[in-house]
Amino acid sequence: MAANFWTSSHYKHLLEQEDVDMVNTLDKEKGITLEDFKLIKMHMANYILKLAQQVKVRQRVVATAVTYMRRVYTRKSMAEYDPRLVAPTCLYLASKAEESTVQARLLAFYIKKLYADDKYRYEIKDILEMEMKILEALNYYLVVYHPYRSLSPLLQDAGLNDLNMTQLTWGLVNDTYKMDLILVHPPHLIALACIYIASVLRDKDTTAWFEELRVDMNVVKNISMEILDFYESNRMFTEERINVALQKLTLRP
Amino acid sequence: MGDGSGSNRSNSNKPEWLQQYDLIGKIGEGTYGLVFLARIKSQTNRGKSIAIKKFKQSKDGDGVSPTAIREIMLLREITHENVVKLVNVHINHTDMSLYLAFDYAEHDLYEIIRHHRDKVNQPINQYTVKSLLWQLLNGLNYLHSNWIIHRDLKPSNILVMGEGEEHGFVKIADFGLARIYQAPLKPLSDNGVVVTIWYRAPELLLGAKHYTSAVDMWAVGCIFAELLTLKPLFQGAEVKATPNPFQLDQLDKIFKVLGHPTLEKWPSLANLPHWQQDTQHIQGHKYENANLYSVVHLSPKSPAYDLLSKMLEYDPRKRITAVQALEHEYFKIEPQPGRNALVPCQPGETFVNYPTRPVDTTTDFEGTTSMQPSQPVSSGAAVSGSMAGGHVSNRSVPRPMNVGGMQRIPHQTMQAYNVTSQAGISGGMNPGGIPMQRGVPQQQLRRKDQMSMPGYPPQQKSRRI
């Protein structure tokens, strides 16, 4: 299974975009729009990254944690599973799954350091309780495949494995976790989309190489478009809009 | 335990998921939890036996143990007839405990070997040895081809199914230490994890920094030999210093049987830290003559010996792989391996009735030490009294065991359990009529060793690092 994505639970549980974009009824009642929903998940992906930088874990742990968080919200409401607790707890769980366990105590410490706001304030006990609820929500499927793994062999194969391209594509892959791509597309296609974007940006002709790959170029291009759209709209995602969205969760319907 | 019988304190807050099982009793205990035998109540699968492994909440307040997380993570992805099947995971939010439900396996290699050595006093028949080995390799090949290294193979982790559809099927269990090795794996010792040293590959004993699937093949070799002779092949005395002591005696035991390793035969030996530093002068030991064949009583020309020696090849790069081993001559000659390892298909062959696992019926799911010997009668009555028609029977005979890789129940706690004297009711459960001792500490010495080599460290330890 580790060698074969196609037999993994990750592959079997890939979702359609419209399933990912379903706002939970409870959240809808609170006035959460699809836009809010996406915004909050993006904000929480950033939160996970910030925490991870504090406790010093690898990018793969961050990617797994973000994936867990996004999977949770395909099944559970934000009203019942407060994103401000789910985010750090996903990092906590991912650190165990990826063999670089971070203590809950440490996370609780950095949560306080990062956010003075009381709404973010969660203690060790809360994290431990939420860990079990997340395990349950994930239906105990914990193995996640990431685009990182296919990135360097693909770059090498395309003859693009110089430092510049490597760094650019790696950064692009990091940014894909601000979207729901990992829930919808096989990771190697996400990697290819990042290579596609990077080669356009850096003016590298990869047409022939892509043609030789036995992949659906339409899917790769669609993923690329989605990533570019995200960068386009990213400017509008202000702190204020995020706060407004999060505020809705705390308000009574 | 019957629902609503109410005599047990556990009923008051019994979680919903638990209601789908009839708890029979405790069958194992380890540093990180307990194992229970239960039966499914629902119509589909009614009466099916399930082993439920309960993970304790770790003491240091760090949630679900990483061991449990990784075991779930792997088992949720893999399906193979020679790998234990995780049928369900349950969570009890009130006490934050986690339960893994497995298909129940009545036997394991540790018990089978012990039964032959101590009870029937005769070797395991060739068909059974070969079938067990083949299935073990078959399961391992599946794991390895999926980039999973088990890392803690030993007889007690190799389960064998009892009567039923899968009678005599081998099931590899206990994936708490198993790893996906897409990224290089650090030695377990770096994580503060201690595993039994008898089945540990020489490269690890010499301080190799990374695991390969060859470490599992070494363990299989040791297990193969043990199936043949009924004795652990390399029974070294463990050095218990921290954190990763050099296991001189274990290596010495290996060298004595296999001969001294040489750089010609094992070139990368030169790079292994403990060999290089040689603080305890292992390089100076000289055991010239390999005598493996005489230790295992095999002709040096037999296919069995050839396969065994290829599993016990010093150089991990030259060591036979699972897929190669499955193709070995040994499996092509008579008797050929079969699906039911315990019952030969050829008529006329005798087979052994292996005893069933003992069940401690006095412990419930909250089954904590507080329930133990001090008041076994009351709690025991509550549990066993509500069990359907005596199918527990002579299972209440204490016999240290293991399931899903759990440590055996320490015999001290077992001795008090004679009270549930249901041994007479059965008849059916022990068709071989094998006399089973009650509450007598068997294999005490061996068990002491086992208990002092827990498969897992205290959780705090692994987390602190």
Side-chain angles (χ1 to χ4, degrees), chain A residues 33-52:
Chain A
T33 63
L34 176 58
E35 195 74 356
D36 294 334
F37 188 44
K38 288 184 170 176
L39 212 55
I40 294 172
K41 286 193 281 185
M42 185 200 73
H43 175 64
M44 291 306 153
N46 288 335
Y47 181 20
I48 289 171
L49 179 64
K50 277 195 231 166
L51 266 177

Side-chain angles (χ1 to χ4, degrees), chain B residues 3-14:
Chain B
D3 288 310
S5 63
S7 52
N8 201 302
R9 67 187 168 127
S10 67
N11 281 343
S12 52
N13 58 352
K14 192 165 156 183

Side-chain angles (χ1 to χ4, degrees), chain A residues 1 3 9 92 96 99 136, chain B residues 62 64 77 93 146-147 179:
Chain A
M1 118 244 151
S9 65
Y92 180 58
K96 290 180 185 176
E99 294 190 52
E136 223 169 23
Chain B
D62 243 314
V64 182
E77 301 288 326
H93 291 283
N146 282 292
W147 302 81
R179 293 296 187 275

Side-chain angles (χ1 to χ4, degrees), chain B residues 1 22-26 37-39 359-361 383 387 391-392:
Chain B
M1 77 176 82
D22 275 320
L23 176 71
I24 309 302
K26 183 172 84 171
L37 172 60
R39 296 225 164 80
V359 180
D360 161 17
T361 55
V383 177
M387 277 180 311
H391 57 195
V392 178

Side-chain angles (χ1 to χ4, degrees), chain B residues 156-215:
Chain B
S156 57
N157 284 342
I158 318 295
L159 311 182
V160 183
M161 298 298 279
E163 277 176 41
E165 254 175 61
E166 295 193 301
H167 191 198
F169 280 32
V170 167
K171 304 279 177 183
I172 300 172
D174 200 341
F175 287 78
L177 298 182
R179 293 296 187 275
I180 301 169
Y181 58 102
Q182 53 196 29
L185 292 168
K186 286 181 175 174
L188 283 171
S189 50
D190 283 11
N191 301 317
V193 175
V194 190
V195 298
T196 179
I197 61 167
W198 293 349
Y199 307 90
R200 197 179 292 173
E203 64 271 24
L204 297 177
L205 293 165
L206 287 167
K209 284 279 171 271
H210 298 294
Y211 279 82
T212 67
S213 55
V215 303

